[in-house]
Amino acid sequence: MAGTKTKKKAADKEAGIDRFSPDQLRHFLREMLLYRRFEEKAEEAYAIGKIGGFCHLHIGQEAVALGFIGPLRKDDYVISAYREHTQALAKGVEPNIVMAELFGREGGSSGGKGGSMHIFNADQGFMGGHGIVGAQVALASGMAWAIKYRGGDQVCVCFMGDAAVNQGAFHEALNMSAIWKLPVIYVVENNHYGMGTAFSRVSAVPVVDRAKGYGIPAHSVNGQDILETWAFAEDLVEEVRGGAGPQYVDAQTYRFKGHSMSDPVSGTYRSKEEVQEKTERDDPIRLLRDRMYDAEMLDEEELKEMDAEARKLVDEAAEFADASPLPDPSELYTHVYAEENPHGRLYFDGRERPGQEA
Amino acid sequence: MAGTKTKKKAADKEAGIDRFSPDQLRHFLREMLLYRRFEEKAEEAYAIGKIGGFCHLHIGQEAVALGFIGPLRKDDYVISAYREHTQALAKGVEPNIVMAELFGREGGSSGGKGGSMHIFNADQGFMGGHGIVGAQVALASGMAWAIKYRGGDQVCVCFMGDAAVNQGAFHEALNMSAIWKLPVIYVVENNHYGMGTAFSRVSAVPVVDRAKGYGIPAHSVNGQDILETWAFAEDLVEEVRGGAGPQYVDAQTYRFKGHSMSDPVSGTYRSKEEVQEKTERDDPIRLLRDRMYDAEMLDEEELKEMDAEARKLVDEAAEFADASPLPDPSELYTHVYAEENPHGRLYFDGRERPGQEA
Amino acid sequence: MQTITYREALNQALAEEMERDPDVFLMGEEVAEYDGAYKVSKGLLDRFGEKRIVDSPISELGFAGLGVGAAMVGLRPVIEFMTFNFSILALDQVLNSAAKMLYMSGGQIPMPIVFRGPTGAALQLSAQHSQACEVWYVHAPGIKVVTPGTPADAKGLLKAAIRDPDPVVVMEGELLYNVKGEVPDVEDGDFVIPLGKADLKREGGDVSIITHGKMIHTALQAAAKLEKEGIQADVLDLRSLRPLDVDAILETVRKTNRAVYLEEGWPYAGVGAQIVSIIQEEAFDHLDAPVIRVTQADVPMPYAKNLEQLAKPGVDRVISACNRVLYRN
Amino acid sequence: MQTITYREALNQALAEEMERDPDVFLMGEEVAEYDGAYKVSKGLLDRFGEKRIVDSPISELGFAGLGVGAAMVGLRPVIEFMTFNFSILALDQVLNSAAKMLYMSGGQIPMPIVFRGPTGAALQLSAQHSQACEVWYVHAPGIKVVTPGTPADAKGLLKAAIRDPDPVVVMEGELLYNVKGEVPDVEDGDFVIPLGKADLKREGGDVSIITHGKMIHTALQAAAKLEKEGIQADVLDLRSLRPLDVDAILETVRKTNRAVYLEEGWPYAGVGAQIVSIIQEEAFDHLDAPVIRVTQADVPMPYAKNLEQLAKPGVDRVISACNRVLYRN
Ligand SMILES: Cc1ncc(C[n+]2csc(CCOP(=O)(O)OP(=O)(O)O)c2C)c(N)n1
Ligand SMILES: Cc1ncc(C[n+]2csc(CCOP(=O)(O)OP(=O)(O)O)c2C)c(N)n1
Ligand SMILES: [Mg+2]
Ligand SMILES: [Mg+2]
């Protein structure tokens, strides 16, 4: 039954390192190192108050971002929740403007107005950055609707956390994507916890089964293994591009850090031991590194260079961000509306604004 | 897999007329006749303007109401949507006060404040009468939660239309009932249409499959056959009372009339022929009558008497309703709040009200 | 000039804009095969096909979100709520996605979407189906709200809303759909009413009755009765709540020095409260009396005919409010 | 008297009411194992067990509805929204089920439920996480709304809310949880503050600063600065928005003849608009100047530190509003 098949496609490619060229593999490593160092830099910057508000790090989940976004075209769409820095990078958004957005600066992807939870870059097809759990799932159906409406062959990839499957928006959106056969891939970044709540406490069935009621093919993939994830996603994206309709993926992964900067890495909800075991055993970067070592496609020297490169890029990003000025105060009232109709008042705070009566 | 078993239990009882005593069968007939005549009377009253607003008739679906509510105890809860007149009757609410509510009179179950869509009778455990599609599904989980919280052995039966399964509230409520194993039976009155929309146009899978994602047992039953429905429901209610947890039932039925009084019985969305075939072949009252005829448990005389009885009851109900006065104008401001705290203003319309400064 | 119903006017507006712009589509419950619960989209399925006239599941949050997503990539969705009562389920997507998208994205993602449908009470639909929902929307920056009360305004404002680059909530009225009125002929070309312009529906001078939406008809009836008593009332129809034609409000108040705000909804933090606040702040010295508001009774809408009548703001209440601000009897 | 934080005060209120009444339970996201996202329910799981302190899925509409259903049959749920920003998803169950249940049932089904959590902005949480949500709730009859600004008010009002037979929305503030203040000792017995009583947080006489929720602290700072300039301000904390202590509002205005309303939220149809409307109607002849409102900038909340600072209503804006109504400089 199509609605519930969990073909482990990628499994066939278990040792499928040979599917990828040495250059590709090095690219994977470079990318994931960049994501990792970027988030570590963000962590640093947050600690010294350069970044404020909520900041959700993606450390540990890099392979899911790279695996599902890497195979996409520039004109494909990606949309996500608030844990989206690395996904933006994966979709080709400049590290500089992402970091500047985290810093809340004029040079940021949203000019400093969005912040960590709202990274957008329309040119690269990165459509945010959304803070209401589950909301982006319906937005993704809408973008996929538009693709089909225009007869295009793009694909929309929508990331969500495991806890998002309990939102009504998830239910309504998946059903609509199913009845209208929309070109969208729903990727649940299943890190097994929503903040401090284990998924098993808020669902009677595993993540992969939560799409059974819609007639949407469901899949599971090891989201810590970039080779498996990429191979699986690359094929799936082409299927969807070819008209296979909506897909649902349980990408099993793990959050190495706390939910957000203010939350503990471990606590009552998950033990130190669990976190330690996971971070040691399932680090996507280390896993790739070791497989490349085994295949003698990488030596320590090269790795060091790659890492230095990544660190250099994020240092530059931080410098760029730091050098970028705060938004001009006049920006407070820009982008509220795209058009201020010639007639009538739009703002009721009675404040002075450039070009409007108080 | 518990989540998706569709045991056709009742099927074993296909010809299970022997499960029921002659008195029981006569009771079934009497009840369904009452429901049918009641709705016909409502239709009449609506035509001459005694009933206003929206009025959704249950004609054709009587066996679902009787089958699932009949086996309940008085202290069990029933909750429904806006097509609930007959369900109220089935739960023991006086025809007189239901009709008076439709008439918008003081003697109505809600004193005339609720109307057709909001029949309530707490004493009989009939908990409404709700107008927002899907909302009652979450309320049902709450009542079931309360039962479990208090360690009681009651059961909550929640009726909804097929279109309600597409609401987020349905999704969130079923998931919570599953994880907390609440004593609730969700009965989808699957009449195959939501207003003018065939279910097959708004769902990629059949009604019974829509609960597959929650780990809740799903069942199908022929809702036009009171014997099958009652037998099935009677067993299921006891299972749930015994701790079996939430259940989901696709009760297949058919709406013989238009969606509401203002809507056509047939039209672009369903053909005259379809309606004619269904009403002739699947009338729950005629089906029971014929089986009782076959079993020689009923003759035309008796049926005539029963029907006369039913008509008498609904005529009395209409007379009662008609004789009941309109609510006193002072009722406008009662039951907005249960308690007007000694301090402060609660109403801001600047109008004169008994016992409050304007 | 053609004399058509409010329903037909909306239908023309939709058809003309869909002809004009292939990116415009209509989605909602029963809009296609059923011609719309209130027949506003009659015939559009045949004319534009199921790709552009789309029946949705009963999933308000979902299809509102789908519309927002489609607008994110440049389509111009018209999302119909069967009634705005049900739009409360979709409010998150309107307030948190549509209204904030342009801002959160630093101007990258415009949001050209229309949410439309009837708001307010009809007849005996009881508490859950009789709500005036203006406040939920107009309170939030990033949204525009219009409330046409006549066929001409319905056509002109809906067309403007569909062309507007921002999210526009178009609030109609179930009891307005059959109202007839003059509307410029289609041949006379594109008839668009800019957002943000109020319309003085009646010229008086003694007192200003300011209102919006279907209440303009109640206001005009009250004004007609007042005339018999020798009182000439201005009836100002705001038409657009955001942008708001403050100049027109101040002009009538400065002329009459007395104002009444009439609205269908509840009083607490209602639209009228905002208008009163603006008037007392910006025309303080022109007021000879406090501005009085006439609203629905501050209760859920009851079903019983007599109670519903009492609950609704009626002509008599408008008249006595006018008398109060005129210090008569 | 004990000096405790606002957070501890809420925690005490919950614990005391749960001790007193076995029908009271707390449900929400992260309230149990995690002690609450903001630690308001710290220790309650250990004390009352998982039957009464319940972690919910992220299903606001669902668990709000579940709470309403539980209240329909007599339990007294306390439903925590992690923040009220997310409660927009649940608004239908609050407005259409909770607020109307008693009315639609003709008095048969009381609705003793509390919805609580932080509202308004914290620090740099950006547009979707920084909304003051009072208006969505206070607009609708059938609901009561309280907005405690101090630890004592938090404890006294939450206890009253839990005992109230009607739906009460208790709006807290993320930036208030660490605020310390004096609260009567538990030994001194049951400390309950009746709904509907405002509190004059500061006695002045020259001008009235009327406000609610966390803004009282901004108002008090402004009053302190004004004092240096020789101006004595009344600071009236409404505490309860519905029921509303109109007498207290009129009293301070009749005394000072000048008023400023300060609130955290947006202006259009804000709480302040309602208060202004009441004042101008019921104290018209006492006003020497229009009532001025100080609100958040009428924009979605920006992330950047400087823009957020500009967007929020600050002490300086309150002071200049006071100067305006006093016609100073
Ligand atoms: C509708 C809504 N409710 C609550 C929150 C607060 N919140 C932010 S993240 C989060 C947990 C989400 O967990 P999950 O979906 O698994 O994503 P993860 O953080 O694990 O990546 C919660 C409850 C929110 N942002 N939106
Ligand atoms: C949330 C919501 N959306 C729309 C409506 C309008 N409406 C009332 S009944 C109905 C169709 C429901 O169909 P179904 O659930 O199958 O129940 P049936 O009428 O067939 O018994 C609709 C769309 C509503 N009441 N609530
Ligand atoms: Mg997670
Ligand atoms: Mg149906």
Side-chain angles (χ1 to χ4, degrees):
Chain A
M1 42 194 179
T4 60
K5 76 166 173 267
T6 61
K7 55 168 140 74
K8 259 199 153 290
K9 258 203 164 188
D12 330 338
K13 313 212 179 49
E14 245 316 348
I17 188 159
D18 44 332
R19 169 173 174 143
F20 306 97
S21 72
D23 283 357
Q24 251 185 317
L25 294 168
R26 272 191 293 276
H27 169 69
F28 294 168
L29 201 50
R30 274 201 199 83
E31 280 291 306
M32 293 200 291
L33 281 166
L34 173 65
Y35 307 164
R36 178 70 54 93
R37 300 313 175 202
F38 185 94
E39 293 291 64
E40 289 169 350
K41 179 61 70 176
E43 196 173 13
E44 246 177 71
Y46 194 95
I48 56 174
K50 299 247 180 218
I51 299 174
F54 290 145
C55 183
H56 309 85
L57 303 179
H58 201 242
I59 292 176
Q61 308 181 199
E62 293 91 347
V64 181
L66 177 60
F68 281 90
I69 299 172
L72 297 177
R73 298 193 320 222
K74 183 180 175 189
D75 66 345
D76 291 325
Y77 301 120
V78 170
I79 189 166
S80 186
Y82 46 81
R83 194 181 299 285
E84 88 286 26
H85 311 158
T86 67
Q87 295 159 343
L89 299 179
K91 194 63 172 69
V93 187
E94 288 295 327
N96 287 7
I97 68 172
V98 178
M99 190 66 82
E101 190 58 36
L102 302 191
F103 278 47
R105 304 300 177 90
E106 183 185 279
S109 42
S110 294
K113 281 177 169 176
S116 165
M117 297 191 285
H118 307 301
I119 305 294
F120 287 82
N121 192 326
D123 294 343
Q124 298 296 331
F126 190 75
M127 308 307 286
H130 300 271
I132 304 299
V133 166
Q136 79 277 16
V137 185
L139 300 176
S141 298
M143 293 190 287
W145 166 270
I147 291 169
K148 189 166 185 186
Y149 185 90
R150 292 179 162 140
D153 72 341
Q154 299 120 282
V155 169
C156 177
V157 172
C158 174
F159 292 95
M160 72 191 84
D162 44 285
V165 305
N166 290 326
Q167 275 287 332
F170 168 91
H171 175 71
E172 298 184 2
L174 264 68
N175 182 59
M176 290 188 293
S177 294
I179 59 180
W180 295 322
K181 302 201 170 32
L182 304 179
V184 55
I185 301 175
Y186 299 106
V187 180
V188 179
E189 289 197 83
N190 179 5
N191 60 17
H192 309 289
Y193 297 92
M195 282 187 82
T197 305
F199 185 74
S200 57
R201 293 174 54 221
V202 288
S203 177
V205 301
V207 166
V208 70
D209 290 346
R210 291 302 295 276
K212 279 186 171 177
Y214 310 104
I216 294 179
H219 319 269
S220 286
V221 63
N222 174 0
Q224 301 310 89
D225 179 346
I226 182 59
L227 303 187
E228 174 177 332
T229 302
W230 181 292
F232 171 76
E234 191 171 40
D235 297 347
L236 193 64
V237 166
E238 286 324 304
E239 281 185 31
V240 172
R241 209 182 289 291
Q247 307 289 325
Y248 176 79
V249 183
D250 165 18
Q252 309 216 349
T253 183
Y254 199 78
R255 161 166 57 76
F256 287 7
K257 298 286 184 168
H259 169 70
S260 77
M261 302 309 304
S262 48
D263 302 299
V265 175
S266 62
T268 45
Y269 74 100
R270 64 178 196 181
S271 68
K272 259 204 183 52
E273 297 64 37
E274 175 184 313
V275 175
Q276 190 172 20
E277 187 201 330
K278 289 283 202 174
T279 47
E280 277 168 13
R281 204 194 54 202
D282 297 338
D283 184 324
I285 296 177
R286 197 173 307 149
L287 286 172
L288 175 61
R289 178 201 66 186
D290 293 345
R291 290 177 74 169
M292 289 174 74
Y293 278 161
D294 298 347
E296 285 169 354
M297 293 170 134
L298 180 79
D299 61 34
E300 223 163 299
E301 259 325 291
E302 219 177 340
L303 179 62
K304 275 222 182 66
E305 278 164 31
M306 289 183 181
D307 197 28
E309 225 175 281
R311 292 176 186 280
K312 188 159 156 302
L313 283 170
V314 301
D315 288 343
E316 284 166 11
E319 282 154 26
F320 172 87
D322 226 0
S324 177
L326 287 166
D328 186 85
S330 67
E331 290 298 324
L332 185 62
Y333 289 94
T334 59
H335 310 137
V336 181
Y337 295 96
E339 175 181 306
E340 299 198 6
N341 311 68
H343 310 283
R345 183 181 297 179
L346 276 175
Y347 303 94
F348 297 84
D349 52 23
R351 301 188 185 186
E352 303 294 338
R353 306 174 25 248
Q356 207 221 26
E357 90 278 23
Chain B
M1 42 195 180
T4 60
K5 76 163 166 276
T6 62
K7 54 164 138 72
K8 260 200 152 284
K9 253 200 167 197
D12 329 339
K13 313 213 174 52
E14 246 317 345
I17 189 162
D18 42 332
R19 171 174 173 141
F20 306 98
S21 73
D23 283 357
Q24 250 185 319
L25 295 168
R26 273 191 292 276
H27 169 69
F28 294 167
L29 201 51
R30 274 203 198 82
E31 281 290 308
M32 293 200 292
L33 283 164
L34 174 65
Y35 307 164
R36 178 70 55 91
R37 301 312 175 203
F38 185 94
E39 293 291 64
E40 290 169 350
K41 178 61 70 177
E43 196 172 13
E44 255 176 63
Y46 194 95
I48 56 174
K50 300 247 179 216
I51 298 173
F54 290 145
C55 183
H56 309 84
L57 303 179
H58 201 242
I59 291 176
Q61 308 182 197
E62 293 91 347
V64 181
L66 177 60
F68 280 91
I69 298 172
L72 296 177
R73 297 193 321 221
K74 183 180 174 189
D75 67 343
D76 291 325
Y77 300 120
V78 169
I79 188 166
S80 187
Y82 46 80
R83 194 181 300 285
E84 88 286 27
H85 310 158
T86 66
Q87 295 159 343
L89 299 179
K91 193 63 171 70
V93 186
E94 288 295 327
N96 288 7
I97 68 173
V98 178
M99 191 65 81
E101 190 59 35
L102 303 191
F103 278 48
R105 304 302 177 89
E106 183 185 278
S109 42
S110 294
K113 282 178 169 176
S116 165
M117 296 191 287
H118 307 301
I119 305 295
F120 287 83
N121 192 325
D123 293 345
Q124 298 295 333
F126 189 76
M127 309 306 286
H130 300 272
I132 305 299
V133 165
Q136 80 277 17
V137 184
L139 300 176
S141 298
M143 292 190 288
W145 165 272
I147 291 169
K148 189 167 185 183
Y149 185 90
R150 291 174 163 147
D153 71 341
Q154 300 120 284
V155 169
C156 178
V157 172
C158 174
F159 292 95
M160 71 191 84
D162 44 284
V165 305
N166 290 327
Q167 276 287 334
F170 168 91
H171 175 71
E172 299 184 1
L174 264 68
N175 183 59
M176 290 189 294
S177 294
I179 58 180
W180 294 322
K181 303 198 169 37
L182 303 179
V184 55
I185 301 175
Y186 300 106
V187 179
V188 179
E189 288 196 86
N190 180 6
N191 59 15
H192 309 289
Y193 298 92
M195 280 185 88
T197 306
F199 185 74
S200 57
R201 293 174 54 222
V202 288
S203 178
V205 301
V207 165
V208 69
D209 290 347
R210 292 300 298 276
K212 279 186 171 177
Y214 310 104
I216 293 179
H219 319 271
S220 286
V221 63
N222 175 0
Q224 300 310 88
D225 179 344
I226 181 60
L227 303 188
E228 173 177 333
T229 303
W230 181 291
F232 171 76
E234 191 170 40
D235 296 348
L236 193 63
V237 166
E238 287 323 305
E239 280 185 35
V240 173
R241 210 182 287 291
Q247 307 290 324
Y248 177 80
V249 183
D250 166 18
Q252 309 217 348
T253 184
Y254 199 77
R255 162 167 57 77
F256 288 7
K257 298 288 185 168
H259 170 70
S260 76
M261 301 309 304
S262 48
D263 301 299
V265 175
S266 62
T268 46
Y269 75 99
R270 65 179 194 182
S271 67
K272 258 199 183 53
E273 296 65 37
E274 176 186 312
V275 175
Q276 190 170 17
E277 187 200 330
K278 288 284 202 173
T279 46
E280 278 166 14
R281 204 193 55 202
D282 297 339
D283 185 325
I285 295 177
R286 199 173 308 148
L287 287 173
L288 175 59
R289 180 200 65 185
D290 294 345
R291 292 177 74 170
M292 289 174 73
Y293 278 161
D294 298 347
E296 287 168 355
M297 290 169 139
L298 180 78
D299 60 36
E300 225 167 293
E301 260 324 293
E302 217 177 344
L303 180 62
K304 278 222 182 64
E305 279 164 31
M306 288 182 179
D307 196 25
E309 225 176 279
R311 291 174 187 280
K312 189 160 157 302
L313 282 170
V314 302
D315 288 344
E316 283 167 10
E319 282 154 26
F320 173 86
D322 226 1
S324 177
L326 288 167
D328 186 88
S330 66
E331 291 297 324
L332 185 62
Y333 290 95
T334 59
H335 310 138
V336 181
Y337 295 96
E339 176 180 308
E340 299 198 6
N341 311 70
H343 310 285
R345 184 181 296 181
L346 275 176
Y347 303 93
F348 296 85
D349 50 25
R351 302 189 185 184
E352 303 294 337
R353 300 174 33 244
Q356 205 217 28
E357 90 278 24
Chain C
M1 281 290 173
Q2 51 176 338
T3 300
I4 57 175
T5 62
Y6 187 99
R7 171 186 292 108
E8 290 162 332
L10 292 167
N11 184 277
Q12 283 184 10
L14 287 166
E16 291 175 23
E17 293 309 300
M18 290 184 71
E19 280 299 349
R20 208 181 52 80
D21 184 347
D23 287 340
V24 177
F25 68 95
L26 174 69
M27 177 179 283
E29 293 154 15
E30 308 296 335
V31 298
E33 284 197 8
Y34 213 66
D35 282 334
Y38 300 102
K39 309 304 170 196
V40 168
S41 49
K42 195 164 197 304
L44 297 184
L45 174 62
D46 295 342
R47 185 158 163 196
F48 297 101
E50 59 185 14
K51 180 184 141 195
R52 298 182 67 191
I53 305 293
V54 187
D55 281 328
S56 73
I58 307 180
S59 305
E60 282 79 5
L61 181 64
F63 66 75
L66 185 149
V68 174
M72 286 175 75
V73 294
L75 293 185
R76 292 180 164 270
V78 176
I79 299 298
E80 173 173 319
F81 292 118
M82 189 174 285
T83 82
F84 267 96
N85 296 288
F86 316 133
S87 76
I88 301 298
L89 286 160
L91 203 55
D92 174 69
Q93 288 288 4
V94 180
L95 296 181
N96 280 318
S97 296
K100 300 182 171 71
M101 196 69 69
L102 186 70
Y103 203 79
M104 296 191 300
S105 67
Q108 294 179 78
I109 307 193
M111 188 45 58
I113 187 169
V114 169
F115 300 98
R116 52 158 292 274
T119 187
L123 294 172
Q124 286 195 270
L125 299 187
S126 201
Q128 294 181 324
H129 284 70
S130 308
Q131 300 172 88
C133 300
E134 290 89 320
V135 164
W136 315 133
Y137 294 93
V138 77
H139 181 55
I143 298 178
K144 296 170 178 174
V145 179
V146 298
T147 58
T150 67
D153 292 342
K155 182 171 182 179
L157 287 170
L158 179 53
K159 282 166 67 77
I162 292 172
R163 297 182 195 186
D164 200 89
D166 291 309
V168 183
V169 172
V170 180
M171 293 185 154
E172 306 158 5
E174 194 178 328
L175 296 179
L176 287 171
Y177 290 128
N178 289 325
V179 170
K180 281 200 154 88
E182 289 208 322
V183 178
D185 290 313
V186 181
E187 299 68 45
D188 301 352
D190 216 22
F191 173 61
V192 177
I193 297 175
L195 308 188
K197 279 199 73 61
D199 183 41
L200 194 64
K201 288 279 193 287
R202 185 184 194 283
E203 177 94 44
D206 300 330
V207 58
S208 305
I209 305 174
I210 310 172
T211 185
H212 69 272
K214 77 170 69 108
M215 283 298 111
I216 64 171
H217 303 286
T218 307
L220 289 168
Q221 288 166 39
K225 283 198 173 182
L226 284 165
E227 185 168 32
K228 295 206 184 66
E229 303 174 28
I231 293 161
Q232 296 298 339
D234 268 13
V235 173
L236 183 68
D237 175 6
L238 296 180
R239 292 201 296 196
S240 170
L241 300 182
R242 191 171 196 147
L244 180 71
D245 191 344
V246 175
D247 296 345
I249 294 169
L250 297 178
E251 193 184 318
T252 181
V253 172
R254 291 197 178 114
K255 180 174 65 178
T256 66
N257 312 115
R258 295 169 155 75
V260 167
Y261 197 85
L262 167 63
E263 71 186 303
E264 196 182 355
W266 291 310
Y268 200 123
V271 172
Q274 177 63 31
I275 306 304
V276 168
S277 178
I278 289 171
I279 293 173
Q280 70 90 42
E281 181 174 345
E282 300 177 41
F284 188 70
D285 298 331
H286 295 270
L287 284 177
D288 290 346
V291 186
I292 303 292
R293 294 192 281 152
V294 178
T295 68
Q296 180 190 319
D298 205 1
V299 303
M301 187 64 81
Y303 167 75
K305 208 176 211 145
N306 63 326
L307 295 183
E308 186 187 41
Q309 270 313 316
L310 280 174
K312 289 177 169 180
V315 171
D316 295 352
R317 294 191 177 281
V318 178
I319 290 172
S320 55
C322 289
N323 284 329
R324 263 184 73 196
V325 297
L326 285 156
Y327 300 110
R328 297 174 78 233
N329 58 33
Chain D
M1 283 290 173
Q2 49 176 341
T3 300
I4 57 174
T5 63
Y6 187 99
R7 171 183 291 109
E8 291 162 330
L10 292 167
N11 184 276
Q12 283 184 8
L14 287 167
E16 290 174 23
E17 293 308 300
M18 289 184 71
E19 280 298 352
R20 207 182 53 79
D21 184 347
D23 288 339
V24 177
F25 69 95
L26 174 69
M27 177 179 283
E29 293 154 14
E30 307 296 336
V31 297
E33 282 197 10
Y34 212 65
D35 283 335
Y38 301 102
K39 308 304 168 197
V40 167
S41 49
K42 194 163 198 299
L44 297 184
L45 174 61
D46 296 342
R47 185 159 163 194
F48 297 101
E50 59 185 15
K51 180 183 140 196
R52 299 182 66 191
I53 305 293
V54 187
D55 281 327
S56 74
I58 306 181
S59 305
E60 282 79 5
L61 181 63
F63 66 75
L66 185 148
V68 174
M72 285 175 75
V73 293
L75 292 186
R76 293 181 163 268
V78 177
I79 300 298
E80 174 173 317
F81 292 118
M82 190 175 285
T83 82
F84 267 95
N85 296 287
F86 316 132
S87 77
I88 302 298
L89 287 159
L91 203 56
D92 173 69
Q93 287 288 3
V94 180
L95 296 181
N96 280 318
S97 296
K100 301 182 170 72
M101 196 68 68
L102 186 70
Y103 204 78
M104 296 190 301
S105 67
Q108 293 180 77
I109 305 192
M111 190 42 60
I113 187 169
V114 169
F115 300 98
R116 51 158 292 273
T119 188
L123 295 172
Q124 286 194 271
L125 299 187
S126 202
Q128 295 181 323
H129 285 69
S130 306
Q131 300 173 90
C133 301
E134 290 88 320
V135 164
W136 315 131
Y137 294 93
V138 78
H139 182 54
I143 298 178
K144 297 171 178 175
V145 178
V146 298
T147 58
T150 67
D153 292 341
K155 181 170 183 179
L157 287 170
L158 178 54
K159 282 167 66 79
I162 292 171
R163 296 182 195 186
D164 199 89
D166 292 309
V168 184
V169 172
V170 180
M171 293 185 153
E172 306 159 4
E174 192 177 330
L175 296 180
L176 286 171
Y177 290 128
N178 288 326
V179 169
K180 280 202 156 88
E182 288 210 325
V183 178
D185 289 313
V186 182
E187 299 68 45
D188 301 351
D190 215 22
F191 173 63
V192 177
I193 296 174
L195 309 187
K197 278 198 75 61
D199 182 42
L200 193 64
K201 288 279 193 289
R202 186 183 192 282
E203 176 94 44
D206 301 329
V207 59
S208 304
I209 305 173
I210 310 173
T211 185
H212 69 271
K214 78 170 70 109
M215 283 297 111
I216 64 170
H217 302 287
T218 306
L220 288 168
Q221 288 166 38
K225 281 197 173 183
L226 284 165
E227 183 167 32
K228 294 208 184 67
E229 303 175 27
I231 294 162
Q232 296 298 341
D234 268 13
V235 173
L236 183 66
D237 175 7
L238 296 180
R239 291 201 296 197
S240 169
L241 300 181
R242 191 172 194 145
L244 180 69
D245 192 343
V246 174
D247 296 345
I249 294 169
L250 298 178
E251 191 183 321
T252 181
V253 172
R254 293 199 177 110
K255 181 173 64 179
T256 66
N257 312 111
R258 297 171 155 78
V260 166
Y261 197 86
L262 167 64
E263 72 186 303
E264 195 182 357
W266 291 310
Y268 201 122
V271 173
Q274 177 63 32
I275 305 305
V276 168
S277 179
I278 289 172
I279 292 172
Q280 71 90 43
E281 181 174 345
E282 300 178 41
F284 188 70
D285 299 330
H286 295 271
L287 284 177
D288 291 345
V291 185
I292 302 293
R293 295 192 281 152
V294 178
T295 69
Q296 180 189 321
D298 206 1
V299 303
M301 187 64 81
Y303 167 74
K305 210 180 209 137
N306 64 324
L307 294 183
E308 185 186 44
Q309 268 313 316
L310 280 173
K312 290 178 170 180
V315 171
D316 295 352
R317 294 190 177 281
V318 178
I319 289 171
S320 54
C322 290
N323 284 329
R324 262 184 73 196
V325 298
L326 286 157
Y327 300 111
R328 297 176 76 238
N329 59 34

